[in-house]
Every structure is written in C-alpha cells, then in structure tokens.
Coordinates of all heavy atoms in Angstrom, one line a residue:
M297 N -24.3 36.5 44.6 CA -25.4 35.6 44.9 C -25.3 35.1 46.3 O -24.3 34.8 46.9 CB -25.4 34.4 44.0 CG -26.4 33.5 44.2 SD -27.4 32.9 42.8 CE -27.1 33.8 41.5
N298 N -26.5 35.2 47.0 CA -26.4 34.8 48.5 C -27.0 33.3 48.6 O -27.6 32.8 47.7 CB -27.6 35.6 49.1 CG -27.2 37.1 49.0 OD1 -26.1 37.4 49.4 ND2 -28.1 38.0 48.8
A299 N -26.5 32.7 49.7 CA -27.0 31.4 50.1 C -28.0 31.4 51.1 O -27.9 32.2 52.1 CB -25.8 30.5 50.5
Y300 N -29.1 30.5 51.1 CA -30.2 30.6 51.9 C -30.4 29.1 52.3 O -30.3 28.3 51.4 CB -31.4 31.1 51.3 CG -31.4 32.6 51.0 CD1 -30.8 33.0 49.9 CD2 -31.7 33.5 52.1 CE1 -30.7 34.4 49.5 CE2 -31.7 34.9 51.7 CZ -31.2 35.3 50.5 OH -31.0 36.6 50.2
M301 N -30.9 28.8 53.6 CA -31.4 27.6 53.8 C -33.0 27.5 54.0 O -33.6 28.5 54.4 CB -31.0 27.3 55.3 CG -31.5 25.8 55.8 SD -31.1 25.6 57.7 CE -29.3 25.4 57.5
G302 N -33.6 26.7 53.1 CA -35.1 26.8 52.9 C -35.6 25.6 53.9 O -35.1 24.5 53.8
H303 N -36.7 25.9 54.7 CA -37.3 24.9 55.5 C -38.7 25.2 55.9 O -39.3 26.2 55.5 CB -36.5 24.5 56.6 CG -36.2 25.9 57.5 ND1 -37.2 26.3 58.4 CD2 -35.2 26.8 57.4 CE1 -36.7 27.4 59.0 NE2 -35.5 27.8 58.4
D304 N -39.3 24.4 56.7 CA -40.8 24.6 57.0 C -41.0 25.0 58.4 O -42.0 24.9 59.0 CB -41.7 23.3 56.7 CG -41.5 22.3 57.7 OD1 -40.5 22.3 58.4 OD2 -42.4 21.4 58.0
G305 N -39.9 25.6 58.9 CA -39.9 26.1 60.4 C -39.1 25.2 61.2 O -38.6 25.7 62.3
E306 N -38.6 24.1 60.7 CA -37.7 23.2 61.6 C -36.8 22.6 60.6 O -36.9 21.6 60.0 CB -38.5 22.1 62.3 CG -37.7 21.3 63.2 CD -36.9 22.1 64.2 OE1 -37.3 22.9 65.0 OE2 -35.6 22.1 64.1
P307 N -35.6 23.3 60.5 CA -34.6 22.8 59.5 C -34.0 21.5 59.8 O -33.7 20.7 58.8 CB -33.3 23.9 59.7 CG -34.0 25.0 60.5 CD -35.2 24.5 61.2
M308 N -34.0 21.0 61.1 CA -33.6 19.7 61.3 C -34.5 18.5 60.6 O -34.1 17.4 60.4 CB -33.6 19.3 62.9 CG -32.6 20.2 63.6 SD -30.9 19.9 63.2 CE -30.6 18.4 64.1
D309 N -35.8 18.8 60.3 CA -36.6 17.9 59.7 C -36.5 17.8 58.2 O -36.9 17.0 57.5 CB -38.1 18.3 60.0 CG -38.6 18.1 61.4 OD1 -37.8 17.2 62.1 OD2 -39.5 18.7 61.8
G310 N -35.8 18.8 57.7 CA -35.4 18.8 56.3 C -35.3 20.2 55.7 O -36.1 21.0 56.1
A311 N -34.1 20.3 55.0 CA -33.8 21.7 54.5 C -33.2 21.7 53.1 O -32.4 20.7 52.9 CB -33.0 22.5 55.5
C312 N -33.4 22.6 52.3 CA -32.7 22.6 51.1 C -31.8 24.0 51.1 O -32.0 24.9 51.8 CB -33.7 22.8 49.8 SG -34.8 24.1 49.8
L313 N -30.9 23.9 50.2 CA -29.9 24.9 50.1 C -30.3 25.8 48.8 O -30.6 25.1 47.7 CB -28.4 24.4 49.8 CG -27.4 25.4 49.5 CD1 -27.3 26.6 50.7 CD2 -26.0 24.7 49.4
V314 N -30.4 27.0 48.9 CA -30.9 27.9 47.7 C -29.9 29.0 47.6 O -29.4 29.7 48.5 CB -32.2 28.6 48.0 CG1 -32.7 29.4 46.8 CG2 -33.3 27.6 48.5
F315 N -29.5 29.2 46.3 CA -28.7 30.3 45.9 C -29.5 31.3 45.2 O -30.2 30.9 44.1 CB -27.5 29.8 45.1 CG -26.6 29.0 45.8 CD1 -26.7 27.6 45.6 CD2 -25.6 29.5 46.7 CE1 -25.9 26.7 46.4 CE2 -24.7 28.6 47.4 CZ -24.8 27.2 47.3
A316 N -29.7 32.5 45.6 CA -30.6 33.4 45.2 C -30.1 34.8 45.5 O -29.2 34.9 46.3 CB -31.9 33.3 45.5
N317 N -30.7 35.8 44.7 CA -30.2 37.2 45.0 C -30.9 37.9 46.2 O -30.4 38.7 46.8 CB -30.5 38.1 43.7 CG -29.7 37.5 42.5 OD1 -28.4 37.6 42.6 ND2 -30.3 37.0 41.4
T318 N -32.1 37.4 46.5 CA -32.9 37.9 47.5 C -33.8 36.8 48.2 O -33.8 35.8 47.8 CB -34.1 38.9 47.1 OG1 -35.0 38.1 46.2 CG2 -33.5 40.0 46.1
A319 N -34.2 37.2 49.5 CA -34.9 36.2 50.3 C -36.2 35.8 49.7 O -36.6 34.7 49.6 CB -35.1 36.8 51.7
K320 N -36.7 36.8 49.0 CA -38.1 36.5 48.3 C -37.9 35.6 47.2 O -38.7 34.7 47.0 CB -38.6 37.9 47.7 CG -40.0 37.8 47.1 CD -40.4 39.3 46.7 CE -41.8 39.1 46.1 NZ -42.4 40.5 45.8
E321 N -36.8 35.7 46.3 CA -36.6 34.8 45.4 C -36.2 33.4 45.9 O -36.6 32.5 45.4 CB -35.3 35.3 44.5 CG -34.9 34.5 43.3 CD -33.8 35.2 42.6 OE1 -32.8 35.5 43.1 OE2 -34.0 35.5 41.4
A322 N -35.5 33.4 47.0 CA -35.1 32.1 47.6 C -36.3 31.4 48.1 O -36.4 30.2 47.9 CB -34.1 32.4 48.7
K323 N -37.3 32.1 48.5 CA -38.5 31.5 49.1 C -39.3 30.9 47.9 O -40.0 29.8 48.0 CB -39.4 32.4 49.9 CG -40.6 31.8 50.4 CD -41.4 32.7 51.4 CE -42.8 31.8 51.8 NZ -43.3 32.5 52.8
R324 N -39.4 31.7 46.8 CA -40.2 31.3 45.7 C -39.5 29.9 45.1 O -40.2 29.0 44.8 CB -40.2 32.3 44.7 CG -40.8 32.0 43.3 CD -40.9 33.0 42.3 NE -39.4 33.6 42.0 CZ -38.6 32.9 41.1 NH1 -38.9 31.9 40.6 NH2 -37.5 33.5 41.0
L325 N -38.1 29.8 45.1 CA -37.6 28.6 44.5 C -37.5 27.5 45.5 O -37.7 26.3 45.2 CB -36.1 28.9 44.3 CG -35.7 30.0 43.2 CD1 -34.3 30.4 43.2 CD2 -36.2 29.4 41.8
A326 N -37.4 27.7 46.8 CA -37.5 26.6 47.8 C -38.9 26.1 48.0 O -39.0 24.9 48.4 CB -37.0 27.1 49.2
S327 N -39.9 26.9 47.9 CA -41.2 26.5 48.4 C -41.7 25.1 47.6 O -42.2 24.3 48.3 CB -42.3 27.6 48.0 OG -42.1 28.5 48.8
P328 N -41.6 24.9 46.3 CA -42.1 23.6 45.7 C -41.3 22.4 46.3 O -41.9 21.4 46.5 CB -41.7 23.8 44.3 CG -41.6 25.3 43.9 CD -41.1 25.9 45.3
V329 N -40.1 22.7 46.6 CA -39.2 21.5 47.1 C -39.7 21.2 48.5 O -40.0 20.1 48.9 CB -37.6 21.9 47.1 CG1 -36.9 20.9 47.8 CG2 -37.2 22.1 45.7
I330 N -39.8 22.2 49.4 CA -40.2 22.0 50.8 C -41.7 21.5 50.9 O -42.0 20.7 51.7 CB -40.1 23.4 51.5 CG1 -38.5 23.8 51.5 CG2 -40.5 23.2 53.1 CD1 -37.6 22.8 52.1
Q331 N -42.5 22.1 50.1 CA -44.0 21.7 50.1 C -44.0 20.2 49.7 O -44.9 19.5 50.1 CB -44.8 22.6 49.1 CG -45.0 24.0 49.7 CD -45.7 24.9 48.7 OE1 -45.2 25.2 47.8 NE2 -46.9 25.2 49.1
D332 N -43.3 19.9 48.7 CA -43.3 18.4 48.3 C -42.8 17.5 49.4 O -43.4 16.4 49.7 CB -42.4 18.3 47.0 CG -42.4 16.8 46.5 OD1 -43.7 16.3 46.3 OD2 -41.4 16.3 46.2
W333 N -41.7 17.9 50.0 CA -41.2 17.1 51.2 C -42.1 17.1 52.4 O -42.4 15.9 53.1 CB -39.9 17.6 51.7 CG -38.7 17.5 50.8 CD1 -38.5 16.8 49.6 CD2 -37.4 18.2 50.9 NE1 -37.4 16.9 49.0 CE2 -36.7 17.8 49.9 CE3 -36.9 19.1 51.9 CZ2 -35.4 18.2 49.7 CZ3 -35.6 19.5 51.7 CH2 -34.8 19.1 50.7
M334 N -42.7 18.1 52.8 CA -43.2 18.3 54.1 C -44.8 18.3 54.0 O -45.4 18.5 55.0 CB -42.8 19.6 54.8 CG -41.3 19.6 55.0 SD -40.7 18.3 55.9 CE -39.0 18.6 56.0
L335 N -45.4 18.5 52.7 CA -46.7 18.6 52.5 C -47.3 19.8 53.4 O -48.3 19.7 54.2 CB -47.6 17.3 53.0 CG -47.1 16.0 52.2 CD1 -47.8 14.8 52.8 CD2 -47.4 16.2 50.6
C336 N -46.7 20.9 53.3 CA -47.1 22.3 54.0 C -47.4 23.2 53.0 O -47.5 23.0 51.7 CB -45.8 22.6 54.8 SG -44.4 23.2 53.7
E337 N -47.9 24.4 53.4 CA -48.4 25.4 52.6 C -47.1 26.4 52.4 O -46.3 26.5 53.2 CB -49.5 26.2 53.2 CG -50.8 25.2 53.5 CD -51.4 24.8 52.3 OE1 -51.5 25.6 51.2 OE2 -51.9 23.7 52.3
Y338 N -47.3 27.2 51.3 CA -46.4 28.3 51.0 C -46.0 29.1 52.1 O -44.9 29.4 52.4 CB -46.8 29.1 49.8 CG -45.9 30.2 49.3 CD1 -44.9 29.9 48.5 CD2 -46.0 31.4 49.8 CE1 -43.9 30.8 48.1 CE2 -45.1 32.5 49.4 CZ -44.0 32.2 48.5 OH -43.3 33.1 48.2
I339 N -47.1 29.5 52.8 CA -46.9 30.3 54.1 C -46.0 29.7 55.1 O -45.4 30.5 55.9 CB -48.2 30.8 54.5 CG1 -48.1 32.0 55.5 CG2 -48.9 29.6 55.2 CD1 -49.4 32.8 55.8
D340 N -45.8 28.4 55.1 CA -45.1 27.7 56.2 C -43.5 27.8 55.8 O -42.8 27.4 56.6 CB -45.6 26.3 56.3 CG -47.0 26.2 56.8 OD1 -47.4 27.0 57.6 OD2 -47.7 25.4 56.3
V341 N -43.3 28.0 54.5 CA -41.9 27.9 54.1 C -41.1 29.2 54.6 O -41.6 30.2 54.5 CB -41.8 27.9 52.5 CG1 -40.4 27.8 52.1 CG2 -42.5 26.5 52.2
R342 N -39.9 28.8 55.1 CA -39.0 29.9 55.7 C -37.7 29.7 54.8 O -37.2 28.7 54.6 CB -38.8 29.7 57.2 CG -40.0 29.6 58.0 CD -40.6 30.9 58.3 NE -41.7 30.9 59.2 CZ -43.1 30.7 58.8 NH1 -43.4 30.7 57.5 NH2 -43.9 30.8 59.7
V343 N -36.9 30.9 54.8 CA -35.7 30.9 54.3 C -34.8 31.8 55.2 O -35.2 32.8 55.8 CB -35.6 31.4 52.9 CG1 -36.2 30.5 51.8 CG2 -36.0 32.8 52.7
Q344 N -33.5 31.4 55.4 CA -32.6 32.1 56.2 C -31.4 32.2 55.5 O -30.8 31.3 54.9 CB -32.3 31.1 57.6 CG -33.5 31.0 58.5 CD -33.1 30.0 59.7 OE1 -33.3 28.8 59.5 NE2 -32.5 30.5 60.7
R345 N -30.9 33.4 55.5 CA -29.7 33.7 54.9 C -28.5 33.1 55.6 O -28.4 33.3 56.8 CB -29.4 35.2 54.7 CG -28.2 35.5 53.9 CD -28.2 37.0 53.4 NE -27.0 37.2 52.8 CZ -26.6 38.4 52.4 NH1 -27.4 39.5 52.7 NH2 -25.5 38.7 51.8
I346 N -27.6 32.5 54.9 CA -26.3 31.9 55.4 C -25.3 32.9 55.5 O -24.9 33.5 54.4 CB -26.0 30.5 54.7 CG1 -27.1 29.5 54.8 CG2 -24.6 30.0 55.3 CD1 -26.9 28.2 54.0
E347 N -24.8 33.3 56.6 CA -23.8 34.4 56.7 C -22.5 34.1 56.2 O -21.9 35.1 55.7 CB -23.8 34.8 58.3 CG -25.0 35.3 58.8 CD -25.5 36.6 58.1 OE1 -24.7 37.5 57.7 OE2 -26.8 36.6 57.8
S348 N -22.0 32.8 56.3 CA -20.6 32.6 55.7 C -20.7 31.5 54.6 O -20.5 30.4 54.9 CB -19.7 32.3 56.8 OG -19.5 33.2 57.6
P349 N -21.2 31.8 53.4 CA -21.5 30.8 52.5 C -20.3 30.3 51.6 O -20.5 29.6 50.6 CB -22.7 31.6 51.5 CG -22.1 32.9 51.6 CD -21.6 33.2 52.9
A350 N -19.1 30.8 51.7 CA -18.1 30.8 50.9 C -17.8 29.1 50.5 O -17.8 28.7 49.4 CB -16.8 31.2 51.4
W351 N -17.8 28.3 51.6 CA -17.6 26.8 51.4 C -18.7 26.2 50.5 O -18.6 25.5 49.7 CB -17.5 26.1 52.7 CG -17.0 24.7 52.6 CD1 -15.7 24.2 52.5 CD2 -17.8 23.6 52.4 NE1 -15.5 23.0 52.3 CE2 -16.9 22.5 52.2 CE3 -19.1 23.3 52.3 CZ2 -17.3 21.2 52.0 CZ3 -19.6 22.1 52.3 CH2 -18.7 21.0 52.0
L352 N -19.9 26.6 50.9 CA -21.2 26.1 50.2 C -21.2 26.6 48.8 O -21.5 25.8 47.8 CB -22.4 26.5 50.9 CG -22.6 25.9 52.2 CD1 -23.9 26.4 53.0 CD2 -23.0 24.4 52.1
L353 N -20.9 27.9 48.5 CA -20.7 28.3 47.0 C -19.6 27.5 46.4 O -20.0 27.2 45.3 CB -20.3 29.7 47.1 CG -21.4 30.8 47.5 CD1 -20.8 32.2 47.9 CD2 -22.3 30.9 46.3
E354 N -18.7 27.2 46.9 CA -17.5 26.4 46.2 C -17.8 25.0 46.1 O -17.5 24.4 45.1 CB -16.1 26.6 47.0 CG -15.0 25.9 46.2 CD -13.7 26.3 47.0 OE1 -13.6 27.4 47.5 OE2 -12.9 25.5 47.0
N355 N -18.4 24.3 47.1 CA -18.5 23.0 47.1 C -20.0 22.3 46.9 O -20.1 21.2 46.6 CB -18.1 22.4 48.5 CG -16.6 22.6 48.7 OD1 -15.8 21.9 48.1 ND2 -16.2 23.7 49.3
A356 N -21.0 23.1 47.1 CA -22.5 22.6 46.9 C -23.2 23.3 45.8 O -24.0 22.6 45.2 CB -23.2 22.9 48.2
A357 N -22.8 24.5 45.3 CA -23.4 25.1 44.2 C -23.2 24.5 42.9 O -22.2 23.9 42.7 CB -23.1 26.6 44.1
D358 N -24.2 24.5 42.0 CA -24.1 24.2 40.6 C -23.2 25.3 39.9 O -23.6 26.5 39.7 CB -25.4 24.1 39.8 CG -25.3 23.7 38.4 OD1 -24.5 24.2 37.7 OD2 -26.1 22.9 38.0
Q359 N -22.0 24.9 39.8 CA -21.1 26.0 39.3 C -21.4 26.7 37.9 O -21.1 27.8 37.7 CB -19.6 25.3 39.2 CG -19.1 24.8 40.6 CD -19.0 26.1 41.7 OE1 -18.5 27.2 41.3 NE2 -19.6 25.9 42.8
E360 N -21.9 25.8 37.1 CA -22.4 26.4 35.8 C -23.5 27.5 35.9 O -23.4 28.5 35.4 CB -22.8 25.4 34.8 CG -21.6 24.5 34.3 CD -22.2 23.3 33.4 OE1 -23.4 23.3 33.0 OE2 -21.3 22.5 33.1
K361 N -24.5 27.1 36.8 CA -25.5 28.1 37.1 C -25.1 29.3 37.9 O -25.4 30.4 37.6 CB -26.7 27.2 37.9 CG -27.4 26.3 37.0 CD -28.6 25.8 37.8 CE -29.3 24.7 36.9 NZ -30.3 24.0 37.8
L362 N -24.2 29.0 38.8 CA -23.5 30.1 39.5 C -22.8 31.1 38.7 O -23.0 32.2 38.7 CB -22.5 29.6 40.6 CG -22.1 30.5 41.7 CD1 -23.4 31.0 42.6 CD2 -21.2 29.7 42.7
A363 N -22.1 30.5 37.7 CA -21.3 31.4 36.7 C -22.2 32.1 35.9 O -21.7 33.3 35.5 CB -20.3 30.5 35.8
R364 N -23.4 31.6 35.4 CA -24.4 32.5 34.8 C -25.2 33.3 35.6 O -26.1 34.0 35.1 CB -25.3 31.5 34.0 CG -24.7 30.6 32.9 CD -25.7 30.0 32.0 NE -26.6 29.2 32.9 CZ -26.5 27.8 33.0 NH1 -25.4 27.2 32.4 NH2 -27.3 27.1 33.7
G365 N -24.9 33.3 37.0 CA -25.8 34.2 37.9 C -27.3 33.6 38.0 O -28.2 34.4 38.3
E366 N -27.4 32.4 37.7 CA -28.7 31.7 37.7 C -29.2 31.1 39.1 O -28.5 30.2 39.6 CB -28.8 30.6 36.7 CG -30.1 29.9 36.6 CD -30.1 28.8 35.5 OE1 -29.3 28.9 34.5 OE2 -30.8 27.8 35.7
P367 N -30.2 31.7 39.8 CA -30.6 31.3 41.0 C -31.0 29.8 40.9 O -31.6 29.3 39.8 CB -31.6 32.0 41.5 CG -31.6 33.3 40.6 CD -30.9 32.9 39.3
H368 N -30.8 28.9 42.0 CA -31.2 27.5 41.9 C -31.1 26.9 43.3 O -30.6 27.6 44.3 CB -30.0 26.7 41.1 CG -28.6 26.8 41.5 ND1 -27.8 27.9 41.2 CD2 -27.9 25.9 42.2 CE1 -26.6 27.6 41.9 NE2 -26.7 26.5 42.5
V369 N -31.8 25.7 43.4 CA -31.8 25.0 44.7 C -31.1 23.7 44.6 O -30.9 23.1 43.5 CB -33.4 24.5 44.8 CG1 -33.5 23.6 46.0 CG2 -34.3 25.7 44.9
V370 N -30.5 23.4 45.6 CA -29.6 22.2 45.8 C -30.4 21.4 46.8 O -30.5 21.7 48.1 CB -28.1 22.4 46.3 CG1 -27.4 21.1 46.5 CG2 -27.6 23.3 45.3
E371 N -31.0 20.3 46.5 CA -31.7 19.5 47.4 C -31.0 18.7 48.3 O -31.3 18.3 49.5 CB -32.7 18.6 46.7 CG -33.8 19.4 46.0 CD -34.9 18.5 45.4 OE1 -35.4 17.5 46.0 OE2 -35.4 18.7 44.2
N372 N -29.8 18.2 47.9 CA -28.8 17.4 48.7 C -27.4 17.8 48.7 O -26.5 17.4 48.2 CB -28.9 16.0 48.0 CG -30.2 15.3 48.1 OD1 -30.9 15.2 49.3 ND2 -30.8 15.0 46.9
P373 N -27.2 19.0 49.5 CA -25.9 19.5 49.7 C -25.0 18.5 50.4 O -25.6 17.6 51.1 CB -26.1 20.8 50.4 CG -27.5 20.9 50.8 CD -28.2 19.7 50.2
P374 N -23.7 18.7 50.3 CA -22.8 17.7 51.0 C -23.0 17.8 52.5 O -23.1 18.9 53.1 CB -21.4 18.3 50.8 CG -21.5 19.1 49.5 CD -23.0 19.6 49.6
T375 N -23.3 16.7 53.3 CA -23.4 16.6 54.7 C -22.3 16.0 55.4 O -21.5 15.2 54.9 CB -24.7 15.9 54.9 OG1 -24.7 14.4 54.4 CG2 -26.0 16.4 54.2
C376 N -22.4 16.3 56.7 CA -21.4 15.9 57.6 C -21.6 14.2 57.8 O -22.7 14.0 58.0 CB -21.5 16.5 59.0 SG -20.4 15.9 60.3
N377 N -20.5 13.5 57.8 CA -20.6 12.1 58.1 C -21.0 11.8 59.5 O -21.4 10.7 59.7 CB -19.2 11.3 57.9 CG -18.8 11.5 56.3 OD1 -19.8 11.5 55.4 ND2 -17.7 11.5 56.1
G378 N -20.9 12.7 60.4 CA -21.2 12.5 61.8 C -22.6 12.9 62.1 O -23.5 12.0 62.4
C379 N -23.0 14.2 62.0 CA -24.3 14.7 62.4 C -25.3 14.8 61.3 O -26.4 15.0 61.4 CB -24.2 16.1 63.0 SG -23.5 17.4 61.9
E380 N -24.9 14.5 60.0 CA -25.6 14.6 58.8 C -26.3 16.0 58.6 O -27.2 16.1 57.7 CB -26.7 13.5 58.8 CG -26.2 12.0 58.9 CD -27.1 11.0 58.9 OE1 -28.4 11.4 59.0 OE2 -26.7 9.8 58.8
L381 N -25.6 17.0 58.9 CA -26.0 18.4 58.6 C -25.2 19.1 57.6 O -24.1 18.5 57.3 CB -26.0 19.2 59.9 CG -27.1 18.9 61.1 CD1 -26.8 19.7 62.3 CD2 -28.5 18.7 60.7
W382 N -25.6 20.0 56.9 CA -24.9 20.6 55.8 C -24.7 22.0 56.0 O -24.1 22.6 55.1 CB -25.6 20.2 54.4 CG -27.0 20.8 54.3 CD1 -28.2 20.1 54.6 CD2 -27.4 22.1 54.2 NE1 -29.2 20.9 54.4 CE2 -28.8 22.2 54.1 CE3 -26.7 23.3 53.8 CZ2 -29.5 23.4 53.8 CZ3 -27.5 24.4 53.6 CH2 -28.8 24.4 53.6
H383 N -24.9 22.6 57.0 CA -24.9 24.1 57.2 C -23.4 24.7 57.3 O -23.2 25.9 57.2 CB -25.6 24.6 58.5 CG -24.9 24.0 59.7 ND1 -24.0 24.6 60.4 CD2 -25.2 22.8 60.4 CE1 -23.7 23.9 61.5 NE2 -24.5 22.6 61.4
D384 N -22.5 23.8 57.5 CA -21.0 24.2 57.7 C -20.0 23.6 56.8 O -20.4 22.7 56.2 CB -20.8 23.9 59.3 CG -19.8 24.8 59.9 OD1 -19.3 25.7 59.3 OD2 -19.6 24.7 61.1
E385 N -18.9 24.2 56.9 CA -17.7 23.7 56.1 C -17.5 22.2 56.7 O -17.5 21.9 57.8 CB -16.5 24.6 56.3 CG -15.3 24.0 55.6 CD -14.2 25.1 55.7 OE1 -14.3 26.2 56.1 OE2 -13.0 24.6 55.4
L386 N -17.0 21.4 55.7 CA -16.7 20.1 56.1 C -15.2 19.9 55.9 O -14.5 20.3 55.1 CB -17.4 18.9 55.2 CG -18.9 19.1 55.1 CD1 -19.5 17.9 54.3 CD2 -19.5 18.8 56.6
I387 N -14.5 19.2 56.9 CA -13.2 18.9 57.1 C -13.1 17.3 56.9 O -13.5 16.8 57.9 CB -12.6 19.4 58.3 CG1 -12.8 20.9 58.5 CG2 -11.0 19.2 58.4 CD1 -12.7 21.4 59.9
D388 N -12.6 16.8 55.9 CA -12.4 15.3 55.8 C -13.7 14.7 56.0 O -13.9 13.6 56.5 CB -11.4 14.8 56.7 CG -10.0 15.2 56.4 OD1 -9.6 15.4 55.2 OD2 -9.2 15.3 57.3
G389 N -14.8 15.4 55.5 CA -16.3 14.8 55.6 C -17.0 15.1 56.9 O -18.1 14.6 57.0
Y390 N -16.4 15.9 57.9 CA -17.0 16.1 59.0 C -17.0 17.6 59.3 O -16.1 18.4 58.9 CB -16.3 15.4 60.3 CG -16.4 14.0 60.2 CD1 -15.4 13.2 59.5 CD2 -17.4 13.4 60.9 CE1 -15.5 11.9 59.4 CE2 -17.4 11.9 60.8 CZ -16.4 11.2 60.1 OH -16.6 9.7 60.1
C391 N -18.2 18.1 60.0 CA -18.2 19.5 60.3 C -17.2 19.8 61.5 O -16.6 18.8 62.1 CB -19.5 19.9 60.8 SG -20.3 19.2 62.4
E392 N -17.0 20.9 61.9 CA -16.0 21.2 63.0 C -16.2 20.6 64.2 O -15.4 20.0 64.8 CB -15.9 22.8 63.2 CG -14.9 23.2 64.1 CD -14.6 24.7 64.3 OE1 -15.3 25.4 63.6 OE2 -13.9 25.2 65.1
S393 N -17.5 20.6 64.7 CA -17.9 19.9 66.0 C -17.7 18.5 65.9 O -17.2 18.0 66.9 CB -19.5 20.2 66.2 OG -19.7 21.6 66.4
C394 N -18.2 17.8 64.9 CA -17.9 16.4 64.7 C -16.4 16.0 64.7 O -16.1 14.9 65.1 CB -18.8 15.7 63.6 SG -20.6 15.8 63.9
E395 N -15.7 16.8 64.0 CA -14.4 16.5 63.8 C -13.5 16.7 65.0 O -12.7 15.7 65.4 CB -13.6 17.4 62.8 CG -12.3 17.2 62.4 CD -11.9 15.9 61.8 OE1 -12.7 15.3 61.4 OE2 -10.6 15.6 61.8
E396 N -13.8 17.6 65.9 CA -13.3 17.7 67.2 C -13.6 16.5 68.2 O -12.7 16.0 68.8 CB -13.7 19.1 67.8 CG -13.0 20.2 67.3 CD -13.5 21.5 68.0 OE1 -14.2 21.5 68.9 OE2 -13.2 22.6 67.4
E397 N -14.8 16.2 68.0 CA -15.3 15.0 68.7 C -14.6 13.7 68.3 O -14.2 12.9 69.1 CB -16.8 14.8 68.6 CG -17.6 14.1 69.7 CD -19.0 14.0 69.5 OE1 -19.6 15.1 69.8 OE2 -19.6 13.1 69.2
R398 N -14.5 13.6 67.1 CA -14.0 12.4 66.4 C -12.5 12.2 66.8 O -11.9 11.1 67.0 CB -14.2 12.5 64.9 CG -13.8 11.1 64.1 CD -14.4 11.3 62.7 NE -13.4 12.2 62.0 CZ -12.4 11.7 61.3 NH1 -12.0 10.4 61.2 NH2 -11.7 12.6 60.5
T399 N -11.8 13.3 66.7 CA -10.3 13.3 66.9 C -9.8 13.7 68.3 O -8.8 13.7 68.6 CB -9.6 14.3 65.9 OG1 -10.1 15.6 66.2 CG2 -9.9 13.9 64.6
G400 N -10.8 14.0 69.3 CA -10.4 14.2 70.4 C -9.9 15.6 70.8 O -9.4 15.9 71.8
G401 N -10.2 16.5 69.9 CA -9.8 17.9 70.2 C -8.4 18.3 69.7 O -8.3 19.4 68.9
N402 N -7.4 17.7 69.8 CA -6.1 17.9 69.4 C -5.5 19.3 69.8 O -4.8 19.9 69.1 CB -5.9 17.7 67.9 CG -5.9 16.2 67.5 OD1 -5.8 15.4 68.4 ND2 -6.3 16.0 66.3
D403 N -6.0 19.9 70.9 CA -5.4 21.3 71.3 C -4.4 21.2 72.4 O -4.1 22.2 72.9 CB -6.5 22.3 71.6 CG -7.8 22.0 71.8 OD1 -8.3 21.1 71.2 OD2 -8.6 22.8 72.5
G404 N -3.8 20.1 72.6 CA -2.8 20.3 73.6 C -1.9 19.4 74.0 O -1.0 19.5 74.5

C-alpha cells in the first residue's frame, strides 16, 4: 500500500494522509475530505505519493485496515510540535528540522 498526501493545490492550507494502492484510488478517497475542508471541486484535489512512507505506515495508518489491505484516509496524522506539519518522521514529537533548531544542532 502506498501513502499519499491529498490537498487542493496548497498542502500548507490543509492536507490529509491517504493509504491506497494507486493515485486514482487515493484521489477518490481524499476528494470528499478535501472538498469538505476547502469547498473546492473534485478537479482541484491533488494527491502526491510520499516517497518514504515507513514512519507514516507504522505511526499514522489504521493498523487494522492496513493489515486487511483496506485503503483509507487519515484526516489528522501525527504532527510536529514545532511546525505542525506531518509529512516527516517525528523525533520526540518534532520533525528533523525543528528538532535540530530546538536542540541547537548537536553536531559538534
């Protein structure tokens, strides 16, 4: 199963996480959610495949649906405590960029 980000053209304004087998299936699942949030048309809804979905599969997907191979939408995936985005792995509640900023880098 692939992970996709569904949005209306601007993910920063709101995006849902979709687990689906194809982009077409992901758009079909994401559309009602995005259309409800943004009051947009089906044609405005976009999906982008997430290239490294392992963390999202493990931490955001509905594990029962995933085990059954059932495509589904996650409207509120875990978000970073700093930037409030969900596209990336979280380390103690923060994405890599915010964690580095918060801790001062620690490389040296």
